[in-house]
Amino acid sequence: EVLLVESGGGLGQPGRSLRLSCAASGFSFDDYAMHWVRQAPGKGLEWVSGISWNSGKLGYADSVKGRFTISRDNAKKSLYLEMNSLKPEDTALYHCVRDLELDLRGLEYWGLGTLVTVSS
Amino acid sequence: DIQMTQSPSSLSASVGDRVTITCQASQDIGNYLNWYQQKPGKAPKLLIYDVINLERGVPSRFSGSGLGTKFILTISGLQPEDFATYYCQQYDNLLTFGPGTKVEIK
């Protein structure tokens, strides 16, 4: 069974940093691209960032480019999101998501998410 | 950047109805289009990938069509468990979601 468990969310102050982690199990982690997708309260889905199986391709939404950094550790079967220069509009539930394949294509398996609240 | 739009933003329908949701891309994305279903308080679920392919376990009443810039999700014979919000997503250039279509009970 594919399992994705996010952690690291919480209250962050504007301008400060948070680091999200995602622990993966139940599949061959290094055979798939991975993503972070967020959903602000009462709003739609927003793709935040994605990383290919070997970290050779990284992508970011314009809203987070230059502030967030995605990374992965295939040996630890883990995905990360370093969030810097936090803004109130970054407040959302952040999901770790496994892709359909090696490259950035589709969002097949979703974690339950970790809530990030940015407020002073 | 590729922008995605969906219409309608919401609709009311009855059990058994045929429902269509349209998704449009701001530029040609070929067949690089997926559909998701999200129920309140739940993580989204992949329904259809590459325009027409049903994900494992998705009922055959769901179907997708389209190419280029215009795509359609059809639910043939709406069931009570289908009341949800539906999102399209392109992957021709990174990933972008549409704003969603909420399907409500009439």
Side-chain angles (χ1 to χ4, degrees), chain B residues 27-100:
Chain B
Q27 63 190 68
D28 190 336
I29 60 170
N31 69 333
Y32 294 166
L33 191 284
N34 304 321
W35 289 97
Y36 300 83
Q37 175 195 65
Q38 187 180 29
K39 297 180 181 180
K42 301 290 187 182
K45 171 186 173 183
L46 177 64
L47 286 179
I48 292 174
Y49 60 95
D50 301 344
V51 177
I52 61 171
N53 298 300
L54 261 60
E55 175 70 342
R56 288 181 303 274
V58 174
S60 58
R61 62 181 179 272
F62 290 92
S63 63
S65 62
L67 184 68
T69 62
K70 185 175 180 180
F71 304 88
I72 296 173
L73 172 68
T74 301
I75 310 172
S76 301
L78 199 65
Q79 295 301 300
E81 60 267 30
D82 301 336
F83 292 96
T85 300
Y86 294 85
Y87 297 90
C88 61
Q89 169 251 312
Q90 68 80 25
Y91 62 96
D92 181 64
N93 180 11
L94 299 181
L95 278 71
T96 314
F97 285 101

Side-chain angles (χ1 to χ4, degrees), chain A residues 2 9 17 24 33 45 57 59 61 64 92 103 109:
Chain A
V2 173
S17 300
L45 300 172
K57 180 176 181 179
V64 307
D103 204 348
Y109 288 96

Side-chain angles (χ1 to χ4, degrees), chain A residues 1-59:
Chain A
E1 180 195 5
V2 173
L3 197 59
L4 300 165
V5 179
E6 303 91 341
S7 60
L11 179 63
Q13 290 186 321
R16 302 299 291 268
S17 300
L18 279 176
R19 188 189 196 216
L20 305 185
S21 299
C22 171
S25 61
F27 65 100
S28 180
F29 186 72
D30 51 10
D31 280 345
Y32 295 90
M34 297 293 296
H35 304 263
W36 291 98
V37 175
R38 70 184 181 185
Q39 188 166 34
K43 302 296 184 182
L45 300 172
E46 181 185 17
W47 177 81
V48 173
S49 183
I51 183 168
S52 63
W53 68 282
N54 63 353
S55 304
K57 180 176 181 179
L58 310 179

Side-chain angles (χ1 to χ4, degrees), chain B residues 1-41:
Chain B
D1 292 5
I2 299 175
Q3 311 301 321
M4 306 298 290
T5 58
Q6 288 183 234
S7 59
S9 56
S10 66
L11 65 91
S12 295
S14 301
V15 172
D17 284 354
R18 182 173 181 267
V19 168
T20 60
I21 298 169
T22 300
C23 172
Q24 292 206 273
S26 59
Q27 63 190 68
D28 190 336
I29 60 170
N31 69 333
Y32 294 166
L33 191 284
N34 304 321
W35 289 97
Y36 300 83
Q37 175 195 65
Q38 187 180 29
K39 297 180 181 180

Side-chain angles (χ1 to χ4, degrees), chain A:
Chain A
E1 180 195 5
V2 173
L3 197 59
L4 300 165
V5 179
E6 303 91 341
S7 60
L11 179 63
Q13 290 186 321
R16 302 299 291 268
S17 300
L18 279 176
R19 188 189 196 216
L20 305 185
S21 299
C22 171
S25 61
F27 65 100
S28 180
F29 186 72
D30 51 10
D31 280 345
Y32 295 90
M34 297 293 296
H35 304 263
W36 291 98
V37 175
R38 70 184 181 185
Q39 188 166 34
K43 302 296 184 182
L45 300 172
E46 181 185 17
W47 177 81
V48 173
S49 183
I51 183 168
S52 63
W53 68 282
N54 63 353
S55 304
K57 180 176 181 179
L58 310 179
Y60 298 92
D62 287 346
S63 58
V64 307
K65 199 177 298 181
R67 299 189 299 122
F68 290 10
T69 302
I70 192 171
S71 62
R72 64 189 292 162
D73 185 332
N74 286 349
K76 294 183 177 179
K77 297 187 176 183
S78 293
L79 177 72
Y80 306 100
L81 186 68
E82 188 73 37
M83 309 166 63
N84 298 321
S85 303
L86 285 168
K87 301 178 179 180
E89 51 264 42
D90 295 322
T91 295
L93 183 66
Y94 284 73
H95 295 276
C96 168
V97 190
R98 195 201 85 175
D99 202 288
L100 282 159
E101 58 166 55
L102 297 165
D103 204 348
L104 309 184
R105 180 178 166 206
L107 307 161
E108 188 172 25
Y109 288 96
W110 296 64
L112 295 179
T114 187
L115 184 62
V116 171
T117 303
V118 182
S119 174
S120 54

